[in-house]
Amino acid sequence: MLDRFVSYKTSPASWPGEPGAVIRRDVEGEVEMVNLAWGFEPQEPGGRPFTFIRSEGRRFGARRCLIPSSEFTVSNGRGKDRRKWRVTMPAAEFFYLAGIWRPASNGWPASYAILTIAANPDIEPYQERQGAVIRRGDRINWLDHLEPQENLLKPLPKGTFYLEQIEGPKVQPAFHF
């Protein structure tokens, strides 16, 4: 159902402020894919946009969205010791990151932020938190509040992700196929 909205004319944002593809409900309740800026307006002029929002202790009752994805990155360390990993699912399975969006205001464009959760066991050795992954089968459950958010905004089981180091001094990932 939602797969027909995935288009190669849209793309994920690479940097805060860039447009990125999100799936949401429009004002008539229809599913749509639009490009929104990645990151909410900074609290202070010249500050960095809020690209990630911690999900714990919050309720997301309105303006939910999905960010189509086939991978994301995690990193740790600083300077010459900084390491970065590409995180994917088996067989390059597509998934979504849970997000929320805001309409344009005060000269800031319509935008979205990714919700974060505690890292799952595959990612935890490298980073404490991660974007909340919504599996394809749960996409409507997230958009339409059909499942309690606590059931969706939680770490997936060990063995869900494959990590491939893409930057920094090489180390062995915790999980291989």
Side-chain angles (χ1 to χ4, degrees):
M1 182 161 128
L2 285 181
D3 294 328
R4 68 187 175 98
F5 293 97
V6 175
S7 165
Y8 294 106
K9 294 179 183 175
T10 58
S11 62
S14 298
W15 301 102
E18 283 187 350
V22 301
I23 297 169
R24 65 181 185 179
R25 292 276 182 194
D26 66 15
V27 293
E28 286 87 31
E30 296 296 318
V31 174
E32 67 177 354
M33 178 179 267
V34 296
N35 282 316
L36 302 179
W38 181 27
F40 292 158
E41 182 176 12
Q43 290 182 332
E44 300 172 3
R48 292 185 56 141
F50 290 96
T51 54
F52 295 96
I53 295 179
R54 190 179 198 94
S55 65
E56 293 87 353
R58 294 191 166 107
R59 303 297 309 160
F60 303 103
R63 297 191 184 120
R64 290 182 178 189
C65 65
L66 296 161
I67 299 94
S69 189
S70 60
E71 65 181 53
F72 59 92
T73 59
V74 296
S75 60
N76 64 10
R78 293 185 186 273
K80 65 180 172 115
D81 293 327
R82 180 178 166 86
R83 293 182 175 103
K84 189 173 184 180
W85 289 267
R86 176 182 296 116
V87 181
T88 58
M89 293 181 92
E93 179 183 338
F94 282 86
F95 54 89
Y96 301 92
L97 295 171
I100 55 174
W101 68 276
R102 290 183 182 164
S105 67
N106 300 326
W108 195 261
S111 55
Y112 73 95
I114 298 168
L115 303 180
T116 67
I117 58 172
N120 97 318
D122 303 325
I123 295 169
E124 193 276 328
Y126 309 101
Q127 189 169 288
E128 292 178 12
R129 300 193 61 75
Q130 69 172 79
V133 171
I134 304 291
R135 291 183 180 262
R136 291 174 66 182
D138 283 324
R139 59 192 180 241
I140 293 296
N141 292 337
W142 173 250
L143 281 181
D144 293 346
H145 309 260
L146 300 177
E147 184 85 26
Q149 75 178 41
E150 298 79 23
N151 294 351
L152 299 171
L153 300 178
K154 64 181 184 180
L156 295 175
K158 183 175 179 63
T160 298
F161 299 111
Y162 173 74
L163 284 86
E164 172 189 9
Q165 189 173 348
I166 56 175
E167 285 182 19
K170 295 293 181 187
V171 297
Q172 194 69 22
F175 179 74
H176 288 284
F177 285 101

